[in-house]
Amino acid sequence: MNTGHVISGAGHIGLIGWLFFGANFAPTPEPFQVNEVAMISGAEFEAMLAGTTPPEAVTDMVLPVPPETPPPPQPAPAVSPPPAAVPAPAPSPVPSPEQPPVPPAAQPMPPSDVQDAPPQIAPPPQEQAVLAPDISDRPSPRPAPRVAPEPVATPEPDTKVDDIVQEAATPAPSPDPAQQKQEATAPEAATTEIVTEAAEKPSAAPVSSVRPRARPNRPEATETTEAVAQPQPQAEAPAPDTTRDAVQDALQQAMADAAATADAAQPAYSGPPISAGERDALRVAVQKCWNVGSLSTDALRTTVVVSVSMTEDGKPVVPSIRMRSFSGGSQASAQQAFDSARRAIIRCGTRGYDLPAEKYALWQEIEMTFNPEKMRIK
Amino acid sequence: MQRLLSLLCCLALLALGAVPGQAQQQSGPLRIEITEGVIEPLPFALPSFVAETAGAQDLADQISRVVAADLVGTGLFREIPQTAFISSLTSFASPVQFADWRAINAQALIAGAVALGSGGRLTVKFRLYDVFAGQEMGDGLQFDGTQEGWRRMAHKVADVVYSRITGEGPYFDSRVVFVAETGTKGERKKRLAIMDYDGFGASYLTDSATIVLAPRFSPTGDRVLYTSYETGFPRIYLLDVANVGRRELPIPAGEMAFSPRFSPDARTVVFSLTQGGNTDIWRMDLNGANPQRLTNAPSIETAPSFSPDGSQIVFESDRSGTQQLYIMPATGGEARRISFGQGRYGSPVWSPRGDLIAFTKQSKGRFHIGVMRLDGSEERLLTASFLDESPSWAPNGRVIMFTRETQGAGGMASLYSVDISGRNLKRVRTETGASDPAWSPLLP
């Protein structure tokens, strides 16, 4: 406390002292640089003015002319081949309806008429360049008819649509007669969001931006709340936070590792949980077939909870698929949403979902919540 | 630092005891949440409808094609080509081999039959199947009508299929009144015309002797209000679609009357009237009684459009110095501005659902068709071109039809439609130039 006062007092005294006496300690001023000024007589001044005025007069008089006078010699040779006269200043097509009459008339016309053309022609190409895509009455092509969580490039024309990417292969002539011909397959082309015409650039070039992905390995709130709540009582801000993401990543990794360790330690089933990775694999498999493109705007506001029984080979039992509950919409919209969810479960489950057979008891019954909030028209 | 400590604590807890805890918690079914899906056209199979009587095969084929075209035209469906079919439907009553349709990834199957009865009566029946669920979606339906009305019957079938799968209201069995344009830009002839929503069955309602503008359907679809320069000045006319009879509305005295629109109950009409150089919005009964001035400002107020419940009116005004959108009570009174974005907003139209307002926006030298919420939020521009204007809603409020005009002396106006998601922008088939579309309600 006293130290602070002492320092403050000393500083203030020093400042006041410098204000009063500082001038006495000022360094000696640097020497002036003196420029000599010559005196001239009135006659010399007149002569000087007379020498400077003509150039000004010349600039006033000539300046407008030079920009216009130089062009004539340039267009002049262009006038001789009339069709080349207009393309020279404006490379883009369609100068304007008024321009075509000028080139034929340009031959008898003096070059001065041609002089007016360049400045007039110059601006339109810019406008035309901007508006060129609108002239076509063909709508700009959409980037891809399919919108999916992850973008997929357009496959080769002969490629068969499939979830698995594989190259085409033909059986070798002699070594392995058992090898069969294999078709090239690739996922269907997809973009990540609907791109309206208004959102596209005027050049009509397809534009897409990646939809922010949900974090894939986020643990279920019901399972992690207890573990997280005790050591971290302070509520985190809902805003995105890289540190928080890092914590979540670490938690997920730790959970996955712990689950893997548990699996390794218990080869026979005795209650190992479904790991986050297995859970995510199932989620990704179902969402690939969850097509909400044909749902009404009301159905896109409806969340449905669907239960399904599974066979041991990972296939859904179709008659067991039921809507447990719904929220956010009417009964009719819930039915549309349920139909869509049911199609997704069945379609992607025809080959059986990739689930660990030893944990069948854990996924024999599955309850899936289909929440289309991220897929709504926005 | 605190965060780091908590992280370490978490990791320690997880390593020590979280795994058994998890195993204990997972006593019920496995629960997952799906929050992301795909948006793509739903593939459907539509084998040609079965002809149940002799001579009905051509009609059956044509009806099948119209149904498919309706569905595909929405952008929400994709037809699987018939060459990919594994099995066929030879009879309307034969059982469906779902495995065959699953194999070609058909998610919906439409099976139908057509019969031509005596006196030219046509019967069309169909069933819709959810292939992967292996069951019928709703009950089969049957439509009866005249042979001449086969296109409408096809639209009806498509409407039911569309509604059952998407949950949206139907809109295929509807008509569009518009201004047909012929001739060069300097000598353009304009006539009122009407057509099916898909551009077929067009016919003219007026001749090309005078300029006509901005037709608007009545809520029942049997009458049309429009503006005509028949007297040399814009006046409002009421036209009966069935007999093409028309009469001028007894508008209060003024230099110009234009931009009419019916109220939802079809009893009153709102319009713009210019008196002494000032344009305001008026309302009156269809027979001319009870004229009422709804706005009274020195600015230009025009393009009124009722809310579906008839309680409010959205309109455009330049009272703030630039053209913006406002909403006021249907009886007049204080208006609140709802558009605040950059650029000029005009020609607002209230959605039949009541949740959105479509508008034209001019910004940075380009025109847009867009939609916004009633409070002006969630503005979404759907199109962009040299000139887009005159939006009109489909009866189900899911699609917007509008005018797009191309640039230059040879520019021509044509009709386009776009889904409110911004997808499926496409040109509507018309035989001439076309502008000012007005979508009818669903036909009875």
Side-chain angles (χ1 to χ4, degrees), chain A residues 205-230:
Chain A
V207 177
S208 64
S209 61
V210 179
R211 177 193 292 275
R213 282 197 62 201
R215 187 157 299 283
N217 293 324
R218 190 163 302 219
E220 290 287 311
T222 52
E223 297 171 3
T224 57
T225 307
E226 292 177 5
V228 174
Q230 290 180 355

Side-chain angles (χ1 to χ4, degrees), chain A residues 145 161 188 347, chain B residues 40-46 68 71-81 104-108:
Chain A
V161 174
E188 192 174 353
R347 276 180 61 215
Chain B
E40 61 182 349
L42 185 140
F44 70 94
L46 199 164
L71 296 174
V72 172
T74 63
L76 306 180
F77 299 89
R78 173 171 63 84
E79 185 186 16
I80 296 175
I104 59 171
N105 195 33
Q107 296 181 33

Side-chain angles (χ1 to χ4, degrees), chain B residues 220-334:
Chain B
T220 48
D222 56 347
R223 288 170 295 175
V224 170
L225 283 170
Y226 67 100
T227 305
S228 171
Y229 281 76
E230 195 167 323
T231 61
F233 297 95
R235 309 299 291 178
I236 298 172
Y237 289 79
L238 178 66
L239 182 140
D240 191 306
V241 175
N243 58 25
V244 203
R246 62 187 177 82
R247 66 178 173 87
E248 182 183 341
L249 288 191
I251 302 285
E255 296 99 57
M256 295 191 293
F258 54 98
S259 195
R261 203 178 283 268
F262 279 98
S263 64
D265 62 5
R267 291 180 185 167
T268 59
V269 56
V270 284
F271 56 93
S272 292
L273 181 64
T274 303
Q275 291 177 319
N278 182 35
T279 302
D280 278 310
I281 293 174
W282 287 66
R283 170 184 183 151
M284 69 174 194
D285 294 347
L286 210 53
N287 59 10
N290 305 317
Q292 181 188 359
R293 187 179 196 153
L294 300 182
T295 62
N296 193 356
S299 48
I300 297 174
E301 275 76 35
T302 186
S305 173
F306 275 101
S307 62
D309 64 1
S311 65
Q312 298 179 88
I313 292 173
V314 61
F315 63 99
E316 67 173 69
S317 168
D318 61 356
R319 61 181 64 182
S320 67
T322 179
Q323 200 175 314
Q324 299 291 340
L325 306 184
Y326 295 81
I327 289 179
M328 67 176 173
T331 52
E334 189 175 351

Side-chain angles (χ1 to χ4, degrees), chain A residues 35-283:
Chain A
N35 293 326
E36 291 185 359
V37 178
M39 292 189 62
I40 59 172
S41 65
E44 287 171 339
F45 182 69
E46 289 295 331
M48 191 176 68
L49 277 184
T52 54
T53 305
E56 288 179 3
V58 169
T59 50
D60 284 347
M61 296 298 290
V62 177
L63 265 180
V65 180
E68 293 186 2
T69 28
Q74 293 173 354
V79 169
S80 54
V86 174
S92 61
V94 195
S96 95
E98 290 80 12
Q99 298 307 323
V102 177
Q107 281 184 335
M109 289 286 273
S112 58
D113 283 346
V114 184
Q115 291 172 15
D116 294 339
Q120 289 179 355
I121 290 173
Q126 291 179 352
E127 292 182 3
Q128 288 172 358
V130 171
L131 298 172
D134 304 331
I135 295 173
S136 166
D137 54 6
R138 181 178 61 83
S140 304
R142 303 269 82 77
R146 176 183 161 97
V147 178
E150 293 181 2
V152 180
T154 306
E156 293 296 320
D158 294 335
T159 307
K160 186 181 175 184
V161 174
D162 198 342
D163 294 339
I164 304 164
V165 180
Q166 59 184 14
E167 297 292 330
T170 51
S174 58
D176 184 8
Q179 186 181 358
Q180 293 182 348
K181 186 176 180 180
Q182 174 183 300
E183 273 187 317
T185 59
E188 192 174 353
T191 183
T192 53
E193 65 178 20
I194 297 170
V195 181
T196 66
E197 186 187 42
E200 293 174 3
K201 289 181 179 176
S203 63
V207 177
S208 64
S209 61
V210 179
R211 177 193 292 275
R213 282 197 62 201
R215 187 157 299 283
N217 293 324
R218 190 163 302 219
E220 290 287 311
T222 52
E223 297 171 3
T224 57
T225 307
E226 292 177 5
V228 174
Q230 290 180 355
Q232 205 166 2
Q234 292 180 349
E236 287 288 336
D241 185 346
T242 52
T243 309
R244 181 185 175 131
D245 288 345
V247 170
Q248 296 283 5
D249 285 341
L251 287 173
Q252 289 163 6
Q253 187 61 43
M255 286 180 62
D257 291 347
T261 308
D263 287 347
Q266 299 171 343
Y269 170 69
S270 60
I274 296 288
S275 71
E278 291 160 349
R279 197 185 295 265
D280 274 334
L282 176 61
R283 175 166 40 218

Side-chain angles (χ1 to χ4, degrees), chain B residues 314 325 327 338 348-350 355-359 370-372 374 393:
Chain B
V314 61
L325 306 184
I327 289 179
I338 62 168
V349 193
W350 216 301
D355 57 345
L356 294 172
I357 287 172
F359 57 85
V371 292
M372 63 168 65
L374 306 187
W393 287 96

Side-chain angles (χ1 to χ4, degrees), chain A residues 134 137 145-147 197 255 271 279 283 287 290-292 294 296-297 336 365 367 369 371 378, chain B residues 3 22-23 30-34 36 38-40 164 166 168 353 366 380 384 404 416 423 427:
Chain A
D134 304 331
D137 54 6
R146 176 183 161 97
V147 178
E197 186 187 42
M255 286 180 62
R279 197 185 295 265
R283 175 166 40 218
Q287 75 184 18
W290 187 34
N291 180 13
V292 299
S294 57
S296 69
T297 46
Q336 312 299 331
E365 298 292 329
E367 209 168 84
T369 301
N371 181 355
K378 292 173 183 172
Chain B
R3 200 166 276 174
Q22 271 187 346
L30 173 64
R31 291 187 174 87
I32 62 169
E33 183 173 17
I34 314 290
E36 291 183 327
V38 296
I39 297 175
E40 61 182 349
R164 284 185 181 174
T166 67
E168 299 282 13
R353 292 177 182 171
R366 292 170 74 78
R380 195 165 63 243
R404 171 165 290 186
Y416 278 71
R423 304 178 86 202
R427 185 174 181 170

